[in-house]
């Protein structure tokens, strides 16, 4: 929690002084009672002590003053709020290695299904687009609020040769330029979500793409997909196709995105669920003066009510 006017917090010293004064006053009352009467006589004459209730209203009132002082300092806290606008580009690896069956029934079918659920669960007002990449990268659907078009395009994807991760990022950046009428002066926050199960084997290098994304202020969240034991049959021979997690992690780090690793259907869906939550919400600073002042008022009212009920007087 932060404060817009922290100097008002010095008033808490006054509250602390009142607490000290109250404690001293109570000790003096106890001292004089013992001095002028013997304990056996006090037990017979004095009414039953209210115990802790005697102090509760005063302490509650002091607590209300403390909270009210905090309200005067205009506290500010971080609040999680849903985004009104955003653009998400799903970059999908369609290289032949995605046919590996280490994820049942195979990587490609599971990846398409999980990406479909991800798109379906994004807020309807978000722009969503699809870029596929193998030897080159292509914009399959341009970002728009027509999420069904992206879902349909995902289902039509087919596999081909090579993996051009750098091209996928650069093509995704081109797809979000001049997206809507407000993009030039008020561009919506953009995120590229890139899934790949291999290393960069075609097109421009990942470092060049990472630099372009960082300059554009577009985070690239990457998913290294598949197990280390994954193989695919190419021309009659089994070829190992482990994901290049190091390159994907460096791409995410360089662009201030998030890196994930998924080796199963469940893990991949969990990754997309986490991405949906982080993309769909943002954290903003909000002043909570009214809330804190309301708490102070409620505590003060409770202190007064308790004092009236127990002692027929205000504290």
């Amino acid at each position: 929690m932060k404060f817009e006017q922290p100097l008002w917090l010095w008033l808490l010293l006054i509250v602390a002084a009142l607490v000290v004064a109250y404690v001293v006053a109570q000790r003096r009352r106890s001292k004089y009672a013992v001095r002028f009467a013997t304990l056996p006589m006090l037990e017979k004459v004095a009414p039953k002590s209210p115990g802790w209730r005697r102090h509760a209203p005063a302490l509650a009132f002091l607590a209300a003053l403390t909270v009210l002082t905090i309200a005067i300092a205009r506290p500010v806290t971080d609040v999680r709020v849903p985004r009104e606008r955003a653009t998400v580009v799903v970059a999908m690896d369609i290289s032949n290695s995605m046919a590996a069956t280490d994820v049942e029934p195979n990587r490609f079918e599971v990846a398409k299904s999980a990406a479909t659920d991800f798109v379906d669960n994004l807020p309807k007002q978000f722009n969503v687009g699809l870029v596929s990449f193998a030897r080159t990268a292509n914009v399959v659907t341009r970002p728009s609020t027509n999420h069904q078009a992206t879902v349909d395009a995902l289902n039509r994807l087919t596999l081909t040769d090579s993996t051009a991760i750098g091209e996928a990022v650069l093509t995704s950046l081109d797809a979000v330029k001049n997206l809507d009428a407000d993009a030039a002066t008020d561009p919506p926050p953009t995120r590229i979500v890139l899934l790949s199960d291999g290393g960069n084997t075609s097109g421009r290098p990942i470092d060049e793409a990472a630099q372009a994304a960082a300059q554009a202020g577009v985070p690239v969240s990457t998913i290294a997909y598949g197990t280390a034991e994954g193989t695919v049959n190419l021309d009659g021979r089994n070829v190992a196709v482990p994901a290049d997690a190091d390159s994907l992690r460096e791409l995410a780090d360089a662009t201030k995105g998030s890196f994930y690793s998924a080796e199963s259907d469940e893990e991949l869906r969990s990754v997309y669920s986490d991405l949906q939550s982080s993309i769909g919400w943002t954290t903003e600073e909000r002043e909570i003066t009214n809330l804190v002042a309301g708490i102070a008022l409620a505590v003060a009212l409770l202190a007064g009510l308790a004092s009236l009920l127990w002692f027929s007087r205000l504290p």
Side-chain angles (χ1 to χ4, degrees):
M1 181 183 295
K2 297 185 292 186
F3 299 92
E4 294 287 339
Q5 298 180 0
L7 292 178
W8 284 103
L9 293 176
W10 286 104
L11 290 176
L12 290 175
L13 294 177
I14 298 177
V15 179
L18 290 173
V19 173
V20 173
Y22 179 79
V23 172
V24 171
Q26 294 302 312
R27 286 185 175 180
R28 284 182 177 177
R29 288 180 60 184
S30 176
K31 178 180 178 182
Y32 292 148
V34 174
R35 178 182 297 179
F36 293 107
T38 62
L39 288 176
M41 184 180 296
L42 282 176
E43 292 177 355
K44 295 179 180 180
V45 177
K48 186 177 180 180
S49 172
W52 62 269
R53 291 185 300 173
R54 180 181 63 178
H55 306 291
L59 294 177
F61 184 71
L62 290 172
L65 287 178
T66 301
V67 178
L68 183 59
T69 301
I70 294 174
I72 294 173
R74 297 178 60 187
V76 175
T77 190
D78 290 334
V79 178
R80 194 165 178 259
V81 296
R83 294 186 189 273
E84 295 181 0
R85 298 170 65 225
T87 298
V88 180
V89 178
V90 178
M92 177 72 69
D93 186 345
I94 58 169
S95 60
N96 283 326
S97 58
M98 291 286 285
T101 57
D102 53 337
V103 180
E104 295 184 354
N106 60 58
R107 295 177 181 178
F108 192 46
E109 293 303 320
V110 171
K112 289 194 296 181
S113 177
T116 295
D117 290 343
F118 170 66
V119 172
D120 280 338
N121 289 324
L122 287 173
K124 299 303 180 183
Q125 69 272 23
F126 282 18
N127 295 306
V128 181
L130 175 64
V131 168
S132 64
F133 62 97
R135 185 176 301 279
T136 60
N138 298 289
V139 178
V140 183
T141 59
R142 292 202 168 274
S144 74
T145 55
N146 184 1
H147 295 187
Q148 188 60 45
T150 297
V151 169
D152 293 341
L154 278 166
N155 292 325
R156 292 194 301 267
L157 293 178
T158 57
L159 300 178
T160 186
D161 296 330
S162 300
T163 306
I165 296 174
E167 292 295 337
V169 174
L170 294 168
T171 300
S172 298
L173 292 175
D174 289 338
V176 299
K177 289 181 179 178
N178 302 319
L179 179 63
D180 54 37
D182 297 327
T185 57
D186 182 25
T190 301
R191 178 82 63 92
I192 298 172
V193 178
L194 185 146
L195 178 146
S196 180
D197 70 342
N200 197 55
T201 60
S202 179
R204 285 169 285 185
I206 295 178
D207 290 346
E208 180 181 338
Q211 183 178 2
Q215 289 176 348
V218 176
V220 181
S221 291
T222 58
I223 306 171
Y225 181 45
T227 68
E229 296 77 25
T231 61
V232 64
N233 188 288
L234 296 175
D235 299 326
R237 59 192 180 91
N238 285 330
V239 178
V241 285
D244 187 357
D246 291 338
S247 294
L248 293 175
R249 182 182 289 105
E250 290 172 3
L251 173 58
D253 291 344
T255 59
K256 298 183 179 179
S258 303
F259 168 77
Y260 299 90
S261 178
E263 296 186 350
S264 66
D265 184 357
E266 293 76 14
E267 288 183 5
L268 183 58
R269 292 180 187 278
S270 177
V271 167
Y272 274 125
S273 177
D274 185 73
L275 283 167
Q276 189 274 331
S277 178
S278 65
I279 293 171
W281 297 78
T282 185
T283 301
E284 296 181 358
E285 285 190 350
R286 295 285 179 87
E287 186 176 331
I288 55 171
T289 299
N290 292 339
L291 174 62
V292 177
I295 294 174
L297 177 60
V299 174
L301 289 174
L302 288 174
L305 181 61
S307 184
L308 287 173
L309 290 174
W310 292 334
F311 311 114
S312 298
R313 61 182 176 82
L314 291 173

